[in-house]
Amino acid sequence: MVAAPRRGGKAAGPDPLHGLEGNRPYNPGAMAANIMVVEDEPAVARGLQVALEREGHTVSIAPTGEDAAARFADLAPDLVATDVRLPAIDGLEVA
């Protein structure tokens, strides 16, 4: 997407809304990460998954701290985004 020129003929920069519609990543040249989202609320987990996958990342969802701990070695995530308030094993214990 080409930005509209500003006064003086210089481009205004990238469109800040580019990538928020469809499945096009905002920065397709960026390095993708393997991300584990630990979240017990399905709607929140799905929202994070959709947003992160749009940016080109691989996302796995763990609904509990126990599930995250069991899957951690196999998935080898680059980043773990966790809810702090989880039943049984909370997000701080997962980290």
Side-chain angles (χ1 to χ4, degrees):
M1 178 170 262
V2 177
R6 287 191 212 177
R7 290 183 192 147
K10 293 186 180 179
D15 178 359
L17 299 179
H18 175 73
L20 295 180
E21 295 180 22
N23 289 323
R24 296 174 301 173
Y26 175 69
N27 188 358
M31 189 166 105
N34 179 14
I35 301 172
M36 177 188 286
V37 173
V38 187
E39 174 57 63
D40 60 337
E41 293 291 330
V44 174
R46 180 68 180 139
L48 288 168
Q49 182 179 24
V50 168
L52 292 167
E53 286 178 346
R54 258 188 210 149
E55 295 299 320
H57 303 293
T58 301
V59 179
S60 57
I61 304 294
T64 66
E66 295 91 341
D67 187 41
R71 297 171 58 201
F72 186 84
D74 290 336
L75 293 173
D78 300 310
L79 174 74
V80 177
T82 181
D83 184 350
V84 174
R85 294 182 185 174
L86 293 168
I89 297 176
D90 68 29
L92 296 176
E93 291 179 72
V94 170

